[in-house]
């Protein structure tokens, strides 16, 4: 057992922070939290050896529930383009390059290193259609000791030939990746990833559903990101009641754990399907700004009992930091607050933090909190450059989130093991 | 004369970047740009000694046209509060502390150092009502070699007694600061700063106008930030046609160079007054999100010929970096683009860059460009950690703006002199 001491902050419930000033957390050999307390006696282990982080903050690590690893090279470029030319001139050509496994290896290493740097220990990731590239990405995550659900992407229509793969090849590629991921409770696993309805024929969508069910794999995709996309899906799937319903009819909407990115424009009926399917919404506020999609009404989702996590959505999003996503999520909700004449409350910091930790983390298991039995995924924050003596613990956390950056993250843990930067 | 070599980028016009790959800029002894060119021969000085910045980018420094130095201690806290409790519980108590000059000195030194760090070489600044604190701030800017218009704030109603000053004392304080700033073309000068209409009696507003005219000083204040504030001004100034018109009637709307922060909700009549008065709008997008004010329609302003700069508005805003304000300004404009069914184009990167450099800089004189006669205010950007070999020069700039941070800024110049970090 290991015991760490620091100012411990986490969100067992979204309404408020739980703070232990100079608190202790005991972590078992399996990397899970045994207990937290305000003294070693309270922990029931008065003689334990303690690693004391002093005046630093100890918080759950970040979870990114929607990000395209294969778009990492395009992070922060082509922001002046609209969605279609952006896809055609930048995104698709870039993803095509991942047929070259050494290129994939190069970019994916950069990506994972930066994810580590910004304090994200778990991610739900899009790779590309390429099985070998996807395998490389999974191995890089394994090597780093981080957690990831990695998606070999299913696409067989409405995109360049170089990014299409037949249904049989897709299934066979998935089966290889599944066969290589048999370790129980593994940190890195495959996830079924139809890109979105417009990229997949009905046969492909049915194959995805079948693979998910057969191997008990989670599912990720995109949903109701922008209005013209929704209209396109309506034309492609005239028998469905809407975009979410189309996924549902193919068995891809909660039959296994499912996360859908964006949901900017989900109407009441779709939101009901999301909630009833237990589907998680990946809220990607920077991407929704950059691609001019709109502002997702996250308060409404939470009120309706929908599960929400935060996603960086590189490279529609430009920033890999989930701390920055918290800030943006609050800002977006403040625009809904303003427009509703202050009737709909904006998101509090604890709610944003909870989405980034315990709520988003729930997609990976017991992740994102320091409650008993949770994986010890944690960050140690040194805010010495932010004048900590002038502020209380929660203000220090707020300042780190709003003003700090990766320089303040001095230790990273995933399931109890320290994750170190490459340099 | 000094000659610098690097990849030079600036925006003589807002529509496009001017790029000189491996270009040269010659700077006179007075700190002004003599010329730029793609070779020493083109510069007409083939034998000049050159300081070669190699593969780095050389861009104009940032200008922040709205920021509260005295709220720096509150940067990134109390973001969960609405405007009124935020003012009453955090902002006003904090500003009251600046009656203690040594406290003022402490916070202002931190503030100026951080402004320097993020690459802002010029700022239009609110201090507090306190003459000695304001003097300290001006001296800290002078010491740093940076440019600033520093406002001793005029307030004599609707705020705590400790933040009220009588009209005569205000005028006498301003006269002291003016008397200490007689150097022609000084980098640091006072600016007339009525906090906003609700904080100033008609007598105070008239005194402000009188001081501005007598000493030929610029003016800064707040305008049309949120709807309840506008309603309050309507009640306080029933004879004015609106908020902007109230300033105009007191002689504070373009009689001398004037910058007004926010202008989120300026209607057509007010926008006409802004344009006709040559008033600059300080667009503060993060603050407008954080304080739940709304999203200023900057494309409309530019189309109507209104001058716009960018402001961090610490501590309504949480980020001192004007590079981040560019990103936010583009994102805000993308929401207007979305809402207008793509009829109103969003801001391009060159337009955002131009607002941060040449347009915002125009409030300080010939600042913000590398055209002949402009003050050489410049930043050298080392983007080695952003894989520069993979991108062209403008993509490298875009990535620095979207993905980079102060670590990438390796040299800073203000009017030709290098400005160094304290550590």
């Amino acid at each position: 057992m290991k015991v760490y001491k620091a100012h411990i902050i986490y969100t067992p419930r979204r309404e408020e922070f739980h703070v232990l000033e100079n608190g202790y957390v005991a972590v078992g050999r399996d990397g899970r939290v045994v207990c937290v307390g305000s003294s070693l006696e309270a922990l029931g282990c008065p003689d334990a050896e303690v690693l004391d982080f002093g005046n630093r903050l100890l918080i759950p690590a970040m979870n990114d529930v929607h990000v395209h690893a294969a778009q990492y090279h395009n992070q922060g470029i082509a922001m002046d383009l609209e969605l279609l030319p952006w896809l055609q001139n930048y995104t698709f050509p870039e993803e095509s390059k991942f047929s070259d496994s050494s290129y994939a290896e190069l970019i994916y290493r950069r990506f994972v290193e930066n994810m580590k740097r910004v304090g994200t220990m778990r991610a739900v990731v899009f790779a590309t259609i390429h099985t070998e590239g996807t395998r490389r990405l999974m191995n890089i995550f394994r090597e780093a000791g981080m957690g990831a659900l990695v998606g070999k992407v299913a696409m067989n229509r409405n995109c360049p030939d170089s990014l299409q793969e037949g249904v049989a090849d897709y299934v066979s590629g998935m089966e290889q990746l599944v066969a290589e991921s048999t370790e129980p409770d593994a940190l890195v696993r495959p996830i079924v990833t139809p890109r979105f309805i417009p990229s997949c024929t009905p046969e492909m969508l049915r194959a995805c559903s079948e693979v998910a069910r057969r191997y008990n794999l989670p599912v990720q995709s995109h949903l109701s990101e922008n209005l013209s996309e929704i209209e396109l899906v309506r034309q492609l799937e005239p028998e469905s009641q809407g975009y979410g319903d189309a996924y549902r009819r193919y068995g891809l909407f909660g039959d296994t754990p499912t996360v859908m990115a964006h949901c900017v424009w989900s109407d009441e009926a779709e939101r009901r399907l999301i909630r009833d399917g237990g589907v998680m919404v990946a809220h990607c506020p920077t991407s929704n700004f950059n691609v001019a999609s709109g502002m997702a009404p996250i308060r409404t989702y939470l009120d309706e009992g929908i599960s929400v996590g935060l996603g960086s959505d590189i490279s529609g999003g430009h920033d890999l930091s989930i701390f920055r996503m918290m800030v943006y999520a609050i800002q977006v909700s403040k625009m809904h607050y303003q427009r509703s004449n202050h009737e709909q409350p904006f998101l509090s910091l604890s709610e944003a933090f909870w989405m980034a930790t315990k709520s988003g983390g729930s997609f990976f298991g017991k992740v994102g909190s320091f409650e008993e039995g949770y994986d010890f995924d944690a960050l140690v924050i040194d805010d010495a450059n932010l004048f900590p003596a002038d502020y209380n613990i929660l203000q220090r956390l707020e300042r780190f989130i709003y003003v700090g950056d990766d320089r303040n993250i001095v230790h990273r843990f995933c399931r109890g093991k320290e994750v170190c930067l490459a340099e």
Side-chain angles (χ1 to χ4, degrees), chain A residues 96-240:
Chain A
S96 297
K97 293 191 204 161
F98 285 70
S99 61
D100 173 352
S101 307
S102 62
Y103 183 76
E105 178 95 19
L106 174 77
I107 300 299
Y108 286 151
R109 284 203 179 275
R110 289 182 186 173
F111 169 75
V112 172
E113 186 60 23
N114 199 19
M115 175 157 277
K116 196 193 292 179
R117 190 174 288 278
V118 298
T120 299
M121 292 292 110
R122 310 261 181 165
V124 188
V125 185
F126 273 62
T128 60
I129 62 166
H130 310 96
T131 302
E132 177 56 22
T134 306
R135 175 182 289 123
R136 300 274 181 118
L137 178 55
M138 295 177 77
N139 285 336
I140 294 166
F141 274 118
R142 288 186 184 110
E143 218 177 272
M146 295 157 72
L149 295 165
V150 180
K152 168 182 158 66
V153 181
M155 301 164 72
N156 66 345
R157 68 173 175 186
N158 293 326
C159 61
D161 287 349
S162 60
L163 282 180
Q164 300 199 20
E165 187 177 44
V167 173
D169 288 340
Y170 167 73
V171 172
S172 131
M174 281 301 288
E175 286 176 336
Q176 291 173 46
L177 298 174
V178 168
E180 293 159 18
S181 312
T182 52
E183 193 197 333
D185 217 13
L187 279 169
V188 179
R189 285 175 295 147
I191 180 168
V192 170
T193 306
R195 188 178 195 110
F196 67 154
I197 299 267
S199 304
C200 300
T201 61
E203 296 68 39
M204 181 62 98
L205 292 166
R206 277 191 285 270
C208 284
S209 168
E210 176 56 27
V211 169
R213 226 173 305 215
R214 193 180 322 141
Y215 300 104
N216 191 26
L217 298 179
V219 170
Q220 67 174 338
S221 195
H222 298 91
L223 177 62
S224 297
E225 180 174 3
N226 80 50
L227 299 172
S228 54
E229 169 207 22
I230 294 170
E231 180 50 35
L232 176 59
V233 172
R234 189 166 295 145
Q235 289 166 21
L236 292 169
E237 293 289 331
E239 288 171 29
S240 294

Side-chain angles (χ1 to χ4, degrees), chain A residues 59 62 118 321-327 379 400-401 409:
Chain A
I59 62 175
M62 297 295 104
V118 298
S321 164
I322 296 298
F323 293 105
R324 290 248 208 290
M325 292 316 110
M326 290 188 210
V327 171
L379 304 175
F400 161 65
I401 293 170
I409 307 175

